[in-house]
Amino acid sequence: RTKSVQKVFSMSGWYPSIRHELQRRGWIENEDRGSPYFDLKWTLSSTEVKYEKLKPWQKTNHYKRNSCLTTKTGLLHCIRNNMRFFTDIDGSTFFPRAYDLSKATDMQDFLDDYRILEAEICLKDLLSISQNKQQIFINPGVLCILLTVLRRRCRALDGS
């Protein structure tokens, strides 16, 4: 490669501000998304980048194998699996509740949490209606299910 003053970028996705700023700075766009001729390749997805074919001077807006930092699931696994090497702090104290729905145990935890949340919402609504002295009718079976779900949750929190 000879030293070129002209910089070339390739872009996929709709990034008008980035395109405008690169062109304003004198960069030329190579509109052939599959072309190997670029200094910078800006893409929507890292799967569009052929990392093994990049030349030393070619740059991209993605890093290879960085999903542990750039996806919620990747970050979730990093925190769950690696925090113990650095600290005794439980990741759930600072990272929002999250689930990897491709894992059976996480799927079950998600469903359990969803049921509990819905049961709480229903009971709070019933309480609100009853405090407004409105007459309510509720299926006793539904009320029994709501209370059972929340009792189980209370027992789980108590450790019994």
Side-chain angles (χ1 to χ4, degrees):
R1 169 176 145 96
T2 60
K3 178 83 170 139
S4 171
V5 178
Q6 193 66 59
K7 296 288 188 176
V8 177
F9 73 96
S10 175
M11 182 176 288
S12 65
W14 193 71
Y15 299 100
S17 299
I18 294 168
R19 177 177 280 115
H20 171 76
E21 287 303 316
L22 287 169
Q23 289 171 337
R24 191 176 71 76
R25 289 171 170 82
W27 289 64
I28 300 294
E29 183 173 4
N30 179 348
E31 294 182 5
D32 178 1
R33 293 179 182 171
S35 171
Y37 303 107
F38 62 86
D39 294 286
L40 172 66
K41 185 174 196 95
W42 198 276
T43 64
L44 180 62
S45 170
S46 62
T47 59
E48 297 177 59
V49 179
K50 308 294 184 244
Y51 295 100
E52 64 282 350
K53 293 185 178 182
L54 288 177
K55 305 292 183 221
W57 67 86
Q58 292 179 313
K59 306 294 182 216
T60 179
N61 64 316
H62 295 281
Y63 297 96
K64 193 174 185 178
R65 295 185 198 103
N66 70 344
S67 64
C68 66
L69 298 175
T70 59
T71 65
K72 190 173 181 181
T73 302
L75 189 54
L76 171 67
H77 287 290
C78 251
I79 289 172
R80 279 186 185 170
N81 301 331
N82 299 320
M83 285 289 294
R84 60 192 163 100
F85 296 116
F86 304 103
T87 183
D88 291 332
I89 297 172
D90 178 8
S92 65
T93 61
F94 65 89
F95 189 71
R97 184 171 37 188
Y99 310 90
D100 179 352
L101 298 181
S102 68
K103 308 280 186 220
T105 54
D106 273 14
M107 176 61 89
Q108 189 58 52
D109 289 345
F110 170 77
L111 292 172
D112 291 345
D113 282 350
Y114 178 80
R115 288 181 186 112
I116 291 163
L117 182 61
E118 285 301 308
E120 285 179 17
I121 289 169
C122 288
L123 286 174
K124 285 178 182 177
D125 287 347
L126 288 172
L127 182 62
S128 175
I129 291 169
S130 70
Q131 287 177 341
N132 292 333
K133 300 191 185 338
Q134 297 176 6
Q135 189 174 6
I136 60 170
F137 298 96
I138 184 167
N139 180 323
V142 170
L143 183 59
C144 182
I145 291 170
L146 295 174
L147 293 172
T148 300
V149 166
L150 292 175
R151 282 187 194 116
R152 283 184 193 155
R153 177 66 174 157
C154 288
R155 281 194 299 268
L157 290 174
D158 288 343
S160 54

